[in-house]
Amino acid sequence: RKEVEQDPGPFNVPEGATVAFNCTYSNSASQSFFWYRQDCRKEPKLLMSVYSSGNEDGRFTAQLNRASQYISLLIRDSKLSDSATYLCVVGSPGGSYIPTFGRGTSLIVHP
Amino acid sequence: EAGVAQSPRYKIIEKRQSVAFWCNPISGHATLYWYQQILGQGPKLLIQFQNNGVVDDSQLPKDRFSAERLKGVDSTLKIQPAKLEDSAVYLCASSLVSQNTEAFFGQGTRLTVV
């Protein structure tokens, strides 16, 4: 089983739709969780951190389920500009703290 | 604030040749990462430095890849000799510390091995 797994998609949704992605992780000792966004041929950029209590930033909501070992990202009222790949990152204790990326989920928002 | 700088942006080499990439992290960032991103996949961590010490290099193919961060600031990643499967984007990232903090990425070096 891979350390961090994501459905690669693509998720093809119309503008205004609500879409959700999940990301599962295998290491129960994982301590930190993030969602990054990566546009085509660009570097990843932080979208939001994921806290135990969940967090919301405008149209984006991230949640953590430690019991089932997954994090989720919900995007409401999708915009064309949301089209990108969404990468989850899970930080697990190692020699220090080791961040591991999932393969990413591709989102395409169409008119 | 200046971001993570990487060079070169693009590199094309023949297999069995050598290549080196350079990274200058954000000033004051103690942690530096090198990732390899193959098309259609997520970034794979190759090596992580804390200041000038290596904290993880378990996924670095040490028979051909090497990296150093001698003064705890700039870093270089070298491949010698390159193989076709090394074609990828090599991303450098840095963060203030390692745990629970955002990593900032450079634009990457796109390597093509022919």
Side-chain angles (χ1 to χ4, degrees), chain B residues 35-74:
Chain B
Y35 285 90
Q36 178 194 59
Q37 187 170 26
I38 292 172
L39 188 64
Q41 299 181 20
K44 177 182 119 177
L45 181 67
L46 294 175
I47 189 166
Q48 177 179 341
F49 292 95
Q50 185 77 12
N51 296 308
N52 61 348
V54 175
V55 296
D56 187 86
D57 62 357
S58 56
Q59 297 193 92
L60 186 74
K62 298 179 186 65
D63 57 334
R64 298 185 300 106
F65 285 64
S66 64
E68 59 184 15
R69 193 185 185 198
L70 292 175
K71 297 182 179 178
V73 182
D74 293 6

mmCIF file of all heavy atoms in Angstrom, chain B residues 35-74:
data_model
loop_
_atom_site.group_PDB
_atom_site.id
_atom_site.type_symbol
_atom_site.label_atom_id
_atom_site.label_comp_id
_atom_site.label_asym_id
_atom_site.label_seq_id
_atom_site.Cartn_x
_atom_site.Cartn_y
_atom_site.Cartn_z
ATOM 1 N N TYR B 35 12.931 17.287 -4.684
ATOM 2 C CA TYR B 35 11.909 16.350 -5.146
ATOM 3 C C TYR B 35 12.110 16.058 -6.632
ATOM 4 O O TYR B 35 12.568 16.912 -7.392
ATOM 5 C CB TYR B 35 10.498 16.944 -4.983
ATOM 6 C CG TYR B 35 9.970 16.981 -3.575
ATOM 7 C CD1 TYR B 35 10.193 18.087 -2.752
ATOM 8 C CD2 TYR B 35 9.213 15.933 -3.063
ATOM 9 C CE1 TYR B 35 9.681 18.126 -1.460
ATOM 10 C CE2 TYR B 35 8.700 15.968 -1.777
ATOM 11 C CZ TYR B 35 8.942 17.074 -0.983
ATOM 12 O OH TYR B 35 8.437 17.119 0.289
ATOM 13 N N GLN B 36 11.732 14.861 -7.022
ATOM 14 C CA GLN B 36 11.679 14.485 -8.437
ATOM 15 C C GLN B 36 10.211 14.297 -8.812
ATOM 16 O O GLN B 36 9.475 13.564 -8.119
ATOM 17 C CB GLN B 36 12.417 13.169 -8.667
ATOM 18 C CG GLN B 36 12.387 12.672 -10.108
ATOM 19 C CD GLN B 36 12.831 11.218 -10.218
ATOM 20 O OE1 GLN B 36 12.228 10.335 -9.621
ATOM 21 N NE2 GLN B 36 13.904 10.983 -10.965
ATOM 22 N N GLN B 37 9.766 14.988 -9.851
ATOM 23 C CA GLN B 37 8.377 14.823 -10.288
ATOM 24 C C GLN B 37 8.354 14.349 -11.738
ATOM 25 O O GLN B 37 8.694 15.100 -12.657
ATOM 26 C CB GLN B 37 7.571 16.122 -10.144
ATOM 27 C CG GLN B 37 6.085 15.906 -10.431
ATOM 28 C CD GLN B 37 5.224 17.103 -10.077
ATOM 29 O OE1 GLN B 37 5.698 18.246 -10.061
ATOM 30 N NE2 GLN B 37 3.953 16.868 -9.789
ATOM 31 N N ILE B 38 7.962 13.110 -11.900
ATOM 32 C CA ILE B 38 7.791 12.537 -13.226
ATOM 33 C C ILE B 38 6.395 12.887 -13.715
ATOM 34 O O ILE B 38 5.445 12.961 -12.918
ATOM 35 C CB ILE B 38 8.011 11.015 -13.173
ATOM 36 C CG1 ILE B 38 9.484 10.738 -12.861
ATOM 37 C CG2 ILE B 38 7.601 10.333 -14.475
ATOM 38 C CD1 ILE B 38 9.822 9.296 -12.589
ATOM 39 N N LEU B 39 6.256 13.106 -15.002
ATOM 40 C CA LEU B 39 4.994 13.536 -15.592
ATOM 41 C C LEU B 39 3.836 12.645 -15.155
ATOM 42 O O LEU B 39 3.918 11.417 -15.243
ATOM 43 C CB LEU B 39 5.117 13.523 -17.114
ATOM 44 C CG LEU B 39 3.959 14.125 -17.905
ATOM 45 C CD1 LEU B 39 3.839 15.623 -17.602
ATOM 46 C CD2 LEU B 39 4.146 13.891 -19.393
ATOM 47 N N GLY B 40 2.787 13.274 -14.623
ATOM 48 C CA GLY B 40 1.597 12.531 -14.219
ATOM 49 C C GLY B 40 1.657 11.973 -12.808
ATOM 50 O O GLY B 40 0.715 11.315 -12.363
ATOM 51 N N GLN B 41 2.755 12.239 -12.115
ATOM 52 C CA GLN B 41 2.902 11.746 -10.746
ATOM 53 C C GLN B 41 3.104 12.903 -9.775
ATOM 54 O O GLN B 41 3.399 14.025 -10.181
ATOM 55 C CB GLN B 41 4.084 10.781 -10.664
ATOM 56 C CG GLN B 41 3.931 9.553 -11.543
ATOM 57 C CD GLN B 41 5.112 8.607 -11.414
ATOM 58 O OE1 GLN B 41 5.865 8.649 -10.445
ATOM 59 N NE2 GLN B 41 5.265 7.732 -12.401
ATOM 60 N N GLY B 42 2.955 12.597 -8.494
ATOM 61 C CA GLY B 42 3.252 13.594 -7.490
ATOM 62 C C GLY B 42 4.738 13.699 -7.245
ATOM 63 O O GLY B 42 5.505 12.821 -7.644
ATOM 64 N N PRO B 43 5.180 14.775 -6.625
ATOM 65 C CA PRO B 43 6.610 14.906 -6.313
ATOM 66 C C PRO B 43 7.071 13.798 -5.367
ATOM 67 O O PRO B 43 6.381 13.481 -4.399
ATOM 68 C CB PRO B 43 6.694 16.274 -5.637
ATOM 69 C CG PRO B 43 5.486 17.019 -6.102
ATOM 70 C CD PRO B 43 4.421 15.978 -6.249
ATOM 71 N N LYS B 44 8.230 13.246 -5.660
ATOM 72 C CA LYS B 44 8.820 12.207 -4.818
ATOM 73 C C LYS B 44 10.038 12.790 -4.136
ATOM 74 O O LYS B 44 10.945 13.310 -4.787
ATOM 75 C CB LYS B 44 9.221 11.001 -5.670
ATOM 76 C CG LYS B 44 9.921 9.885 -4.899
ATOM 77 C CD LYS B 44 10.316 8.749 -5.841
ATOM 78 C CE LYS B 44 11.803 8.551 -5.861
ATOM 79 N NZ LYS B 44 12.211 7.415 -6.706
ATOM 80 N N LEU B 45 10.068 12.695 -2.788
ATOM 81 C CA LEU B 45 11.181 13.253 -2.039
ATOM 82 C C LEU B 45 12.452 12.458 -2.303
ATOM 83 O O LEU B 45 12.480 11.240 -2.125
ATOM 84 C CB LEU B 45 10.869 13.239 -0.547
ATOM 85 C CG LEU B 45 11.952 13.828 0.363
ATOM 86 C CD1 LEU B 45 12.102 15.328 0.129
ATOM 87 C CD2 LEU B 45 11.616 13.551 1.837
ATOM 88 N N LEU B 46 13.499 13.158 -2.718
ATOM 89 C CA LEU B 46 14.798 12.520 -2.927
ATOM 90 C C LEU B 46 15.673 12.675 -1.693
ATOM 91 O O LEU B 46 16.295 11.720 -1.226
ATOM 92 C CB LEU B 46 15.514 13.127 -4.136
ATOM 93 C CG LEU B 46 14.874 12.885 -5.499
ATOM 94 C CD1 LEU B 46 15.638 13.645 -6.570
ATOM 95 C CD2 LEU B 46 14.831 11.402 -5.812
ATOM 96 N N ILE B 47 15.743 13.898 -1.173
ATOM 97 C CA ILE B 47 16.599 14.149 -0.030
ATOM 98 C C ILE B 47 16.089 15.368 0.713
ATOM 99 O O ILE B 47 15.525 16.278 0.114
ATOM 100 C CB ILE B 47 18.076 14.344 -0.470
ATOM 101 C CG1 ILE B 47 19.011 14.391 0.730
ATOM 102 C CG2 ILE B 47 18.234 15.574 -1.356
ATOM 103 C CD1 ILE B 47 20.489 14.248 0.357
ATOM 104 N N GLN B 48 16.278 15.341 2.039
ATOM 105 C CA GLN B 48 15.865 16.447 2.897
ATOM 106 C C GLN B 48 17.053 16.831 3.773
ATOM 107 O O GLN B 48 17.669 15.970 4.402
ATOM 108 C CB GLN B 48 14.682 16.026 3.759
ATOM 109 C CG GLN B 48 14.210 17.072 4.744
ATOM 110 C CD GLN B 48 13.010 16.609 5.557
ATOM 111 O OE1 GLN B 48 12.309 15.680 5.188
ATOM 112 N NE2 GLN B 48 12.771 17.263 6.678
ATOM 113 N N PHE B 49 17.355 18.123 3.785
ATOM 114 C CA PHE B 49 18.424 18.658 4.623
ATOM 115 C C PHE B 49 17.814 19.493 5.747
ATOM 116 O O PHE B 49 16.820 20.195 5.563
ATOM 117 C CB PHE B 49 19.338 19.598 3.819
ATOM 118 C CG PHE B 49 20.166 18.934 2.767
ATOM 119 C CD1 PHE B 49 19.732 18.883 1.452
ATOM 120 C CD2 PHE B 49 21.409 18.386 3.083
ATOM 121 C CE1 PHE B 49 20.510 18.293 0.471
ATOM 122 C CE2 PHE B 49 22.188 17.795 2.112
ATOM 123 C CZ PHE B 49 21.735 17.747 0.791
ATOM 124 N N GLN B 50 18.457 19.414 6.904
ATOM 125 C CA GLN B 50 18.176 20.353 7.984
ATOM 126 C C GLN B 50 19.495 21.074 8.214
ATOM 127 O O GLN B 50 20.471 20.477 8.668
ATOM 128 C CB GLN B 50 17.723 19.613 9.250
ATOM 129 C CG GLN B 50 17.305 20.510 10.382
ATOM 130 C CD GLN B 50 15.929 21.105 10.178
ATOM 131 O OE1 GLN B 50 15.179 20.696 9.294
ATOM 132 N NE2 GLN B 50 15.578 22.075 10.993
ATOM 133 N N ASN B 51 19.529 22.362 7.861
ATOM 134 C CA ASN B 51 20.795 23.105 7.782
ATOM 135 C C ASN B 51 21.725 22.346 6.821
ATOM 136 O O ASN B 51 21.342 22.113 5.686
ATOM 137 C CB ASN B 51 21.362 23.328 9.176
ATOM 138 C CG ASN B 51 20.426 24.202 10.003
ATOM 139 O OD1 ASN B 51 20.027 25.281 9.585
ATOM 140 N ND2 ASN B 51 20.058 23.717 11.171
ATOM 141 N N ASN B 52 22.894 21.934 7.236
ATOM 142 C CA ASN B 52 23.770 21.238 6.299
ATOM 143 C C ASN B 52 23.803 19.735 6.528
ATOM 144 O O ASN B 52 24.634 19.035 5.951
ATOM 145 C CB ASN B 52 25.179 21.824 6.340
ATOM 146 C CG ASN B 52 25.809 21.678 7.717
ATOM 147 O OD1 ASN B 52 25.121 21.350 8.673
ATOM 148 N ND2 ASN B 52 27.092 21.917 7.815
ATOM 149 N N GLY B 53 22.896 19.232 7.361
ATOM 150 C CA GLY B 53 22.842 17.804 7.631
ATOM 151 C C GLY B 53 21.699 17.124 6.898
ATOM 152 O O GLY B 53 20.645 17.709 6.713
ATOM 153 N N VAL B 54 21.925 15.882 6.484
ATOM 154 C CA VAL B 54 20.901 15.105 5.797
ATOM 155 C C VAL B 54 19.999 14.432 6.827
ATOM 156 O O VAL B 54 20.482 13.750 7.726
ATOM 157 C CB VAL B 54 21.544 14.024 4.901
ATOM 158 C CG1 VAL B 54 20.466 13.137 4.282
ATOM 159 C CG2 VAL B 54 22.398 14.668 3.817
ATOM 160 N N VAL B 55 18.692 14.647 6.716
ATOM 161 C CA VAL B 55 17.770 13.993 7.640
ATOM 162 C C VAL B 55 17.039 12.829 6.986
ATOM 163 O O VAL B 55 16.537 11.954 7.688
ATOM 164 C CB VAL B 55 16.753 14.971 8.253
ATOM 165 C CG1 VAL B 55 17.456 16.009 9.099
ATOM 166 C CG2 VAL B 55 15.930 15.659 7.185
ATOM 167 N N ASP B 56 16.960 12.830 5.662
ATOM 168 C CA ASP B 56 16.378 11.677 4.966
ATOM 169 C C ASP B 56 16.857 11.651 3.535
ATOM 170 O O ASP B 56 16.739 12.654 2.840
ATOM 171 C CB ASP B 56 14.844 11.730 4.995
ATOM 172 C CG ASP B 56 14.231 10.457 4.429
ATOM 173 O OD1 ASP B 56 14.072 9.484 5.191
ATOM 174 O OD2 ASP B 56 13.928 10.428 3.226
ATOM 175 N N ASP B 57 17.418 10.539 3.133
ATOM 176 C CA ASP B 57 17.779 10.339 1.719
ATOM 177 C C ASP B 57 17.451 8.906 1.307
ATOM 178 O O ASP B 57 18.114 8.333 0.447
ATOM 179 C CB ASP B 57 19.252 10.665 1.476
ATOM 180 C CG ASP B 57 20.196 9.762 2.259
ATOM 181 O OD1 ASP B 57 19.710 8.910 3.035
ATOM 182 O OD2 ASP B 57 21.420 9.910 2.103
ATOM 183 N N SER B 58 16.421 8.364 1.915
ATOM 184 C CA SER B 58 16.099 6.958 1.692
ATOM 185 C C SER B 58 15.651 6.664 0.264
ATOM 186 O O SER B 58 15.743 5.525 -0.192
ATOM 187 C CB SER B 58 15.018 6.510 2.678
ATOM 188 O OG SER B 58 13.869 7.333 2.568
ATOM 189 N N GLN B 59 15.164 7.689 -0.450
ATOM 190 C CA GLN B 59 14.696 7.449 -1.816
ATOM 191 C C GLN B 59 15.658 8.019 -2.863
ATOM 192 O O GLN B 59 15.314 8.094 -4.035
ATOM 193 C CB GLN B 59 13.284 8.027 -2.008
ATOM 194 C CG GLN B 59 12.243 7.354 -1.114
ATOM 195 C CD GLN B 59 10.833 7.712 -1.525
ATOM 196 O OE1 GLN B 59 10.189 7.009 -2.319
ATOM 197 N NE2 GLN B 59 10.329 8.813 -0.984
ATOM 198 N N LEU B 60 16.827 8.389 -2.434
ATOM 199 C CA LEU B 60 17.830 8.910 -3.367
ATOM 200 C C LEU B 60 18.613 7.730 -3.965
ATOM 201 O O LEU B 60 19.214 6.964 -3.217
ATOM 202 C CB LEU B 60 18.785 9.855 -2.635
ATOM 203 C CG LEU B 60 19.797 10.601 -3.491
ATOM 204 C CD1 LEU B 60 19.103 11.713 -4.269
ATOM 205 C CD2 LEU B 60 20.908 11.174 -2.614
ATOM 206 N N PRO B 61 18.626 7.582 -5.285
ATOM 207 C CA PRO B 61 19.416 6.495 -5.904
ATOM 208 C C PRO B 61 20.907 6.829 -5.802
ATOM 209 O O PRO B 61 21.484 7.473 -6.675
ATOM 210 C CB PRO B 61 18.918 6.497 -7.359
ATOM 211 C CG PRO B 61 17.690 7.336 -7.378
ATOM 212 C CD PRO B 61 17.845 8.342 -6.282
ATOM 213 N N LYS B 62 21.501 6.368 -4.738
ATOM 214 C CA LYS B 62 22.832 6.857 -4.384
ATOM 215 C C LYS B 62 23.935 6.367 -5.327
ATOM 216 O O LYS B 62 25.057 6.881 -5.281
ATOM 217 C CB LYS B 62 23.157 6.453 -2.945
ATOM 218 C CG LYS B 62 22.205 7.068 -1.918
ATOM 219 C CD LYS B 62 22.556 6.626 -0.518
ATOM 220 C CE LYS B 62 21.516 7.129 0.474
ATOM 221 N NZ LYS B 62 20.173 6.534 0.251
ATOM 222 N N ASP B 63 23.616 5.404 -6.168
ATOM 223 C CA ASP B 63 24.630 4.967 -7.123
ATOM 224 C C ASP B 63 24.856 6.010 -8.210
ATOM 225 O O ASP B 63 25.903 6.025 -8.865
ATOM 226 C CB ASP B 63 24.235 3.631 -7.749
ATOM 227 C CG ASP B 63 22.881 3.680 -8.438
ATOM 228 O OD1 ASP B 63 22.036 4.519 -8.046
ATOM 229 O OD2 ASP B 63 22.670 2.885 -9.364
ATOM 230 N N ARG B 64 23.878 6.902 -8.389
ATOM 231 C CA ARG B 64 24.028 7.896 -9.466
ATOM 232 C C ARG B 64 23.682 9.319 -9.031
ATOM 233 O O ARG B 64 24.063 10.271 -9.693
ATOM 234 C CB ARG B 64 23.137 7.503 -10.643
ATOM 235 C CG ARG B 64 23.481 6.174 -11.260
ATOM 236 C CD ARG B 64 22.646 5.882 -12.495
ATOM 237 N NE ARG B 64 21.223 5.839 -12.210
ATOM 238 C CZ ARG B 64 20.373 6.795 -12.551
ATOM 239 N NH1 ARG B 64 20.810 7.872 -13.210
ATOM 240 N NH2 ARG B 64 19.093 6.679 -12.282
ATOM 241 N N PHE B 65 22.948 9.460 -7.963
ATOM 242 C CA PHE B 65 22.525 10.784 -7.495
ATOM 243 C C PHE B 65 23.333 11.168 -6.252
ATOM 244 O O PHE B 65 23.594 10.327 -5.391
ATOM 245 C CB PHE B 65 21.041 10.791 -7.108
ATOM 246 C CG PHE B 65 20.076 10.775 -8.265
ATOM 247 C CD1 PHE B 65 20.015 9.686 -9.140
ATOM 248 C CD2 PHE B 65 19.202 11.836 -8.470
ATOM 249 C CE1 PHE B 65 19.108 9.670 -10.188
ATOM 250 C CE2 PHE B 65 18.292 11.812 -9.517
ATOM 251 C CZ PHE B 65 18.251 10.728 -10.374
ATOM 252 N N SER B 66 23.673 12.449 -6.185
ATOM 253 C CA SER B 66 24.296 12.968 -4.972
ATOM 254 C C SER B 66 23.812 14.387 -4.748
ATOM 255 O O SER B 66 23.420 15.074 -5.686
ATOM 256 C CB SER B 66 25.826 12.930 -5.075
ATOM 257 O OG SER B 66 26.264 13.788 -6.116
ATOM 258 N N ALA B 67 23.811 14.791 -3.505
ATOM 259 C CA ALA B 67 23.386 16.154 -3.179
ATOM 260 C C ALA B 67 24.186 16.655 -1.997
ATOM 261 O O ALA B 67 24.612 15.867 -1.145
ATOM 262 C CB ALA B 67 21.897 16.195 -2.856
ATOM 263 N N GLU B 68 24.388 17.958 -1.983
ATOM 264 C CA GLU B 68 25.100 18.539 -0.859
ATOM 265 C C GLU B 68 24.554 19.929 -0.541
ATOM 266 O O GLU B 68 23.977 20.597 -1.388
ATOM 267 C CB GLU B 68 26.604 18.610 -1.134
ATOM 268 C CG GLU B 68 26.994 19.412 -2.357
ATOM 269 C CD GLU B 68 28.491 19.360 -2.617
ATOM 270 O OE1 GLU B 68 29.186 18.507 -2.055
ATOM 271 O OE2 GLU B 68 28.954 20.211 -3.397
ATOM 272 N N ARG B 69 24.770 20.304 0.693
ATOM 273 C CA ARG B 69 24.364 21.634 1.170
ATOM 274 C C ARG B 69 25.431 22.053 2.177
ATOM 275 O O ARG B 69 25.214 22.093 3.367
ATOM 276 C CB ARG B 69 22.987 21.584 1.820
ATOM 277 C CG ARG B 69 22.369 22.957 2.062
ATOM 278 C CD ARG B 69 21.056 22.864 2.820
ATOM 279 N NE ARG B 69 20.437 24.177 2.934
ATOM 280 C CZ ARG B 69 19.481 24.473 3.818
ATOM 281 N NH1 ARG B 69 19.034 23.542 4.647
ATOM 282 N NH2 ARG B 69 18.961 25.685 3.860
ATOM 283 N N LEU B 70 26.602 22.349 1.638
ATOM 284 C CA LEU B 70 27.797 22.453 2.455
ATOM 285 C C LEU B 70 27.707 23.528 3.538
ATOM 286 O O LEU B 70 28.121 23.319 4.664
ATOM 287 C CB LEU B 70 29.011 22.695 1.570
ATOM 288 C CG LEU B 70 29.395 21.504 0.675
ATOM 289 C CD1 LEU B 70 30.529 21.887 -0.264
ATOM 290 C CD2 LEU B 70 29.780 20.303 1.530
ATOM 291 N N LYS B 71 27.197 24.676 3.228
ATOM 292 C CA LYS B 71 27.176 25.773 4.201
ATOM 293 C C LYS B 71 25.783 25.989 4.774
ATOM 294 O O LYS B 71 25.529 27.011 5.391
ATOM 295 C CB LYS B 71 27.706 27.051 3.560
ATOM 296 C CG LYS B 71 29.165 26.946 3.124
ATOM 297 C CD LYS B 71 29.675 28.248 2.541
ATOM 298 C CE LYS B 71 31.137 28.116 2.135
ATOM 299 N NZ LYS B 71 31.665 29.360 1.522
ATOM 300 N N GLY B 72 24.915 25.035 4.553
ATOM 301 C CA GLY B 72 23.579 25.146 5.101
ATOM 302 C C GLY B 72 22.695 26.144 4.392
ATOM 303 O O GLY B 72 21.653 26.535 4.927
ATOM 304 N N VAL B 73 23.106 26.577 3.202
ATOM 305 C CA VAL B 73 22.278 27.526 2.448
ATOM 306 C C VAL B 73 21.966 26.921 1.084
ATOM 307 O O VAL B 73 21.029 26.151 0.958
ATOM 308 C CB VAL B 73 22.964 28.901 2.315
ATOM 309 C CG1 VAL B 73 22.071 29.882 1.570
ATOM 310 C CG2 VAL B 73 23.305 29.454 3.698
ATOM 311 N N ASP B 74 22.805 27.248 0.075
ATOM 312 C CA ASP B 74 22.598 26.703 -1.262
ATOM 313 C C ASP B 74 22.780 25.200 -1.279
ATOM 314 O O ASP B 74 23.474 24.625 -0.435
ATOM 315 C CB ASP B 74 23.605 27.312 -2.240
ATOM 316 C CG ASP B 74 23.375 28.781 -2.472
ATOM 317 O OD1 ASP B 74 22.506 29.354 -1.790
ATOM 318 O OD2 ASP B 74 24.079 29.362 -3.320
#
